[in-house]
Amino acid sequence: MQFKHPELLWALFLLLIPIIIHLFQLRRFKRTPFTNVKLLKSIVSKSRKSSTLKKWLLLFSRLGILAGLVLAFAQPFNASDSAVKEKENIFYLDNSFSMHAKTANATLFQNTVQEFIKRIPKDEKFHLFTNDDTFLDVEINDIKNNLLEIQPSSQQLSLKEISLKAAAHFTNDNSTQKNTIIISDFQQRLGTFPKDSTTNTNIYYINPLSNTINNIAIDSIYTKSNANGSIDLTALISANYELETTAVSLYNGDKLIAKTAAGFNKNSKANVLFSIPSNEEINGKIVLTDIGLSYDNEFYFNINIPEKIKVLDIGPTSSLLRRIFTEPQFKYVKADLKQLNYGALQTYDLIVINELKAIPTGLTTALQSFTNEGGSLVIIPAPEIDLSSYNKLTSFYFNTTLGSKTEQEVAISTIKFGHPLYTNVFEKNVSNFQYPSVTGYYQLKTNATEALSLQNDAPFLIGADNVFIFATSLLETNFKNSPLIVPTFYNMGANSLKSSSLYSTIGKLTQIDAPYILNKDNVLKVVGDDYEFIPQQRVLPKKTRLSFQENPKTSGIYRIIDNDKVLQNISFNYDRKESDLSYLDFAGVPSTAVNKSIADFFEITQKQNTINEFWKWFAILALLFVITETILQRFLK
């Protein structure tokens, strides 16, 4: 038994008072004459026995009254160690897309919120956070409306991040019991379960998901030109259960332009092909109907009329690059060094220094200014060069210098598949590729990333972002006959003007170049159907570079606007990671920490925190002793 006010137990020493009074009370007797002494002795004997019994019963009653009152005011109770500790409860409520799966009458998340509001004690103070919002030191009535209005989030905290965020909101008071309660469907992408860091910290898991969710998702799309001059648009669709077909529709804006059925293979995968016209602006949306997750039932894309990428080739040779940088995507210009207009360099997107024997100082200065303003540069040395003039230019980029030339035949044997030049070029890392070779190369000393390397680990092609440097002339290698040459130069050109792709993914860094020169005080806005924002932007001499990562928050097709004039469109889709409905195994988690529902959690918690109070019983006991003493005084003679 425990006491809320144990200091009052000192009052039990008051029990000595009635004991002293009853044991040491002095009584005075009156002398009364009687004629019959024998009768008197009999009366005295009987009176003494009756008085002794009454005395001890009264003593016991008065001791009971005092003891009952003292114990009642000390407030005795019985409870576990955790029940008497003050609680710090922090709830994490997962509002990711997978929690918004449809159920019989609402979504899983909506049912979870309603159950949470219903079950949590109305006067309990707690902290609560989601993937986007945080509510500190609140009662349920303070945030009830906020919880009912929470929207699905494309961001998903991992279990480690949830644990760390909760720990940041706990106090430093070691006497309190700290509880982190995680409410989620626990997809595998949340990571491994965290461990309790101290004995005063508990982590509980509530999984409201009780039934298997069947879901169909549009994973991605891609386009390919066909022989008829139109574009083949392919949508990749997957399901997590067996089915034969599902209807898929293609829209251009609000107009339905095609509809077909997706047939699934034994792996529950399907490819859907649409044919769309080329050289036509399309604000596309692919739609399917599904009773599982709703966020992956639509896929947005747009095809803008592309701006031509302007390429300037400075040097004596041109036939090779002319065949790569072709219309309509590129506008290729060949220039002789003697007739070069330095002032016009800023009008180009990509400049290729193509096997010049020497680079004039004026051209070096102009190229440095060109790349500083966002232009792209490719340097291909000639078989014989003026090292000093080349190094004046190359040292400006990645601290690169060209050393002496090595006359040796060496194979180009290493492709950096993770380099931005070769993103999406190879489906997988290739080991049996027929690599080209060189007959001679310049020794490069650089801090740049290598894209291609020779067999002896010497760099063949280095660079990143907007500057690339070759270690040898293309005349001294059969690289020009290799399948590598087209994607290498094509991506150099395509990346020089970061035009919008078919679509972008929300939350991932996306950069596009809008080929528009803004006035000094102008900024570009991005506008959706019911949402607009100003993206991060950098004004360059002949274009404006826009960066997207934190915005937008919702999927759709957005318009890039300058003073109410629509410049171009850009599409954003949610990451499809949550469409993989694979869940964590709780096998290694203590069963006491896992709950199947919010109702179970609060019921178990209430039992564990139950405090049995006994003060009322002691107060009643004291009252019974009072009644007993009254009866003794009145009826016992």
Side-chain angles (χ1 to χ4, degrees):
M1 185 180 294
Q2 299 165 284
F3 296 90
K4 188 175 183 179
H5 303 291
E7 65 276 4
L8 295 181
L9 295 178
W10 290 102
L12 290 176
F13 283 108
L14 294 175
L15 297 177
L16 295 174
I17 295 175
I19 294 174
I20 292 172
I21 292 175
H22 281 72
L23 294 180
F24 299 103
Q25 182 182 22
L26 298 177
R27 296 183 178 181
R28 296 179 180 179
F29 299 95
K30 292 182 180 180
R31 292 183 180 181
T32 303
F34 285 89
T35 56
N36 193 335
V37 177
K38 183 178 180 180
L39 177 62
L40 178 62
K41 288 182 179 180
S42 175
I43 293 173
V44 169
S45 176
K46 292 179 181 179
S47 298
R48 284 180 178 177
K49 291 179 180 179
S50 175
S51 177
T52 301
L53 176 62
K54 181 178 180 180
K55 180 181 68 173
W56 286 107
L57 290 175
L58 287 174
L59 174 61
F60 180 75
S61 299
R62 289 165 183 171
L63 289 175
I65 293 170
L66 284 176
L69 290 175
V70 170
L71 292 174
F73 280 104
Q75 296 189 24
F77 64 92
N78 183 28
S80 62
D81 292 339
S82 62
V84 298
K85 284 187 176 182
E86 183 180 349
K87 306 294 188 300
E88 293 184 48
N89 292 330
I90 297 183
F91 293 88
Y92 164 73
L93 186 57
D94 186 359
N95 63 324
S96 60
F97 287 121
S98 63
M99 282 288 290
H100 286 77
K102 296 176 183 178
T103 59
N105 54 355
T107 66
L108 177 63
F109 181 79
Q110 290 170 336
N111 291 338
T112 301
V113 170
Q114 293 285 359
E115 187 72 6
F116 181 80
I117 294 173
K118 177 181 177 181
R119 298 291 180 177
I120 191 168
K122 304 301 180 186
D123 57 348
E124 179 178 321
K125 289 279 187 180
F126 61 91
H127 302 327
L128 183 144
F129 65 94
T130 66
N131 293 311
D132 311 294
D133 303 305
T134 302
F135 306 96
L136 300 178
D137 198 24
V138 294
E139 296 179 3
I140 188 59
N141 288 331
D142 299 331
I143 62 170
K144 181 187 297 184
N145 293 334
N146 301 85
L147 294 181
L148 294 173
E149 295 173 358
I150 289 177
Q151 298 298 314
S153 174
S154 60
Q155 304 298 319
Q156 172 67 75
L157 298 176
S158 67
L159 287 173
K160 182 178 180 180
E161 291 170 333
I162 294 168
S163 180
L164 291 174
K165 187 171 182 178
H169 294 304
F170 285 129
T171 66
N172 295 324
D173 187 357
N174 293 327
S175 65
T176 62
Q177 179 64 57
K178 299 171 176 60
N179 300 320
T180 301
I181 303 99
I182 301 176
I183 307 173
S184 174
D185 59 351
F186 298 99
Q187 285 196 332
Q188 286 185 357
R189 67 193 196 91
L190 268 67
T192 57
F193 290 103
K195 303 293 183 182
D196 291 354
S197 57
T198 66
T199 56
N200 287 336
T201 302
N202 293 325
I203 300 180
Y204 298 96
Y205 306 98
I206 303 176
N207 187 356
L209 181 64
S210 56
N211 299 320
T212 302
I213 298 174
N214 293 331
N215 184 56
I216 309 172
I218 305 173
D219 296 327
S220 63
I221 65 171
Y222 64 90
T223 59
K224 183 179 180 181
S225 299
N226 58 34
N228 299 326
S230 59
I231 297 175
D232 288 338
L233 173 68
T234 302
L236 306 181
I237 301 175
S238 64
N240 69 338
Y241 65 103
E242 293 184 4
L243 75 164
E244 294 182 359
T245 62
T246 189
V248 182
S249 303
L250 173 64
Y251 290 82
N252 184 8
D254 295 328
K255 181 182 178 182
L256 177 64
I257 60 175
K259 190 171 185 177
T260 187
F264 291 85
N265 60 24
K266 62 180 180 180
N267 296 320
S268 297
K269 304 288 185 181
N271 293 349
V272 179
L273 180 66
F274 296 100
S275 182
I276 57 178
S278 59
N279 298 321
E280 179 179 324
E281 185 175 294
I282 295 179
N283 296 319
K285 179 175 67 172
I286 300 175
V287 181
L288 58 78
T289 302
D290 174 39
I291 61 173
L293 304 181
S294 59
Y295 88 100
D296 54 12
N297 294 345
E298 298 179 340
F299 204 99
Y300 296 91
F301 69 95
N302 65 277
I303 299 177
N304 295 308
I305 299 176
E307 292 286 331
K308 291 185 177 182
I309 299 172
K310 299 176 182 178
V311 179
L312 177 62
D313 182 0
I314 306 172
T317 60
S318 62
S319 59
L320 175 64
L321 298 184
R322 188 185 299 275
R323 293 196 299 270
I324 296 175
F325 299 122
T326 57
E327 298 281 351
Q329 186 172 0
F330 298 96
K331 182 180 180 181
Y332 175 83
V333 176
K334 175 65 181 172
D336 187 84
L337 180 60
K338 295 179 181 179
Q339 300 174 351
L340 185 62
N341 179 5
Y342 292 175
L345 296 182
Q346 296 291 346
T347 62
Y348 292 92
D349 301 301
L350 172 66
I351 296 176
V352 182
I353 300 301
N354 195 352
E355 303 193 2
L356 296 179
K357 292 184 178 180
I359 303 175
T361 302
L363 180 57
T364 297
T365 303
L367 290 175
Q368 290 174 353
S369 176
F370 170 74
T371 54
N372 281 339
E373 298 297 341
S376 296
L377 175 65
V378 177
I379 301 174
I380 307 172
E384 299 293 334
I385 61 172
D386 179 4
L387 285 174
S388 176
S389 66
Y390 263 81
N391 287 333
K392 285 181 181 178
L393 176 61
T394 59
S395 61
F396 189 72
Y397 307 110
F398 320 112
N399 197 27
T400 301
T401 57
L402 282 73
S404 59
K405 187 176 182 180
T406 300
E407 300 290 348
Q408 179 184 0
E409 185 171 350
V410 185
I412 302 170
S413 62
T414 304
I415 303 173
K416 304 296 183 182
F417 295 101
H419 194 280
L421 273 182
Y422 301 116
T423 301
N424 299 325
V425 172
F426 300 93
E427 292 184 358
K428 59 181 180 179
N429 292 0
V430 180
S431 59
N432 59 348
F433 189 79
Q434 187 175 357
Y435 293 100
S437 60
V438 301
T439 57
Y441 61 93
Y442 293 96
Q443 298 284 349
L444 294 181
K445 294 183 178 179
T446 182
N447 297 326
T449 304
E450 296 179 12
L452 296 172
S453 301
L454 301 176
Q455 195 171 19
N456 58 6
D457 293 331
F460 173 75
L461 172 62
I462 64 168
D465 297 330
N466 62 333
V467 177
F468 299 91
I469 303 172
F470 283 88
T472 182
S473 165
L474 297 186
L475 298 175
E476 296 181 297
T477 175
N478 58 355
F479 179 71
K480 57 183 177 292
N481 299 322
S482 168
L484 273 176
I485 191 167
V486 174
T488 300
F489 278 100
Y490 179 87
N491 286 336
M492 289 176 181
N495 293 338
S496 65
L497 180 62
K498 300 182 185 297
S499 57
S500 60
S501 56
L502 272 177
Y503 64 91
S504 299
T505 301
I506 291 175
K508 293 184 178 180
L509 178 62
T510 300
Q511 290 184 330
I512 69 166
D513 291 339
Y516 303 100
I517 302 174
L518 296 178
N519 296 329
K520 184 177 181 181
D521 297 328
N522 278 13
V523 293
L524 297 180
K525 293 191 302 181
V526 177
V527 180
D529 292 337
D530 53 1
Y531 175 64
E532 70 175 56
F533 62 94
I534 297 176
Q536 186 179 22
Q537 47 198 277
R538 178 187 176 192
V539 179
L540 303 174
K542 57 184 181 302
K543 58 189 176 184
T544 302
R545 180 163 294 171
L546 305 179
S547 299
F548 302 87
Q549 189 164 19
E550 295 183 359
N551 282 304
K553 302 293 187 183
T554 57
S555 62
I557 297 176
Y558 291 80
R559 303 179 297 279
I560 300 174
I561 294 179
D562 177 26
N563 288 332
D564 298 326
K565 178 184 177 182
V566 179
L567 304 182
Q568 66 182 81
N569 296 323
I570 182 171
S571 298
F572 287 91
N573 291 289
Y574 296 116
D575 197 314
R576 264 34 185 183
K577 288 182 179 179
E578 292 199 52
S579 298
D580 180 12
L581 299 178
S582 301
Y583 301 100
L584 291 170
D585 185 0
F586 285 90
V589 181
S591 58
T592 55
V594 181
N595 299 270
K596 294 182 179 180
S597 68
I598 293 176
D600 288 348
F601 169 77
F602 282 110
E603 183 178 347
I604 294 171
T605 302
Q606 187 176 10
K607 290 181 180 178
Q608 292 174 345
N609 296 332
T610 298
I611 297 177
N612 298 314
E613 296 181 336
F614 305 119
W615 69 269
K616 293 180 181 179
W617 295 106
F618 283 101
I620 293 172
L621 183 63
L623 180 61
L624 291 176
F625 277 116
V626 170
I627 296 172
T628 301
E629 182 185 9
T630 303
I631 294 173
L632 290 174
Q633 293 280 18
R634 174 168 295 189
F635 298 105
L636 187 61
K637 301 298 182 179

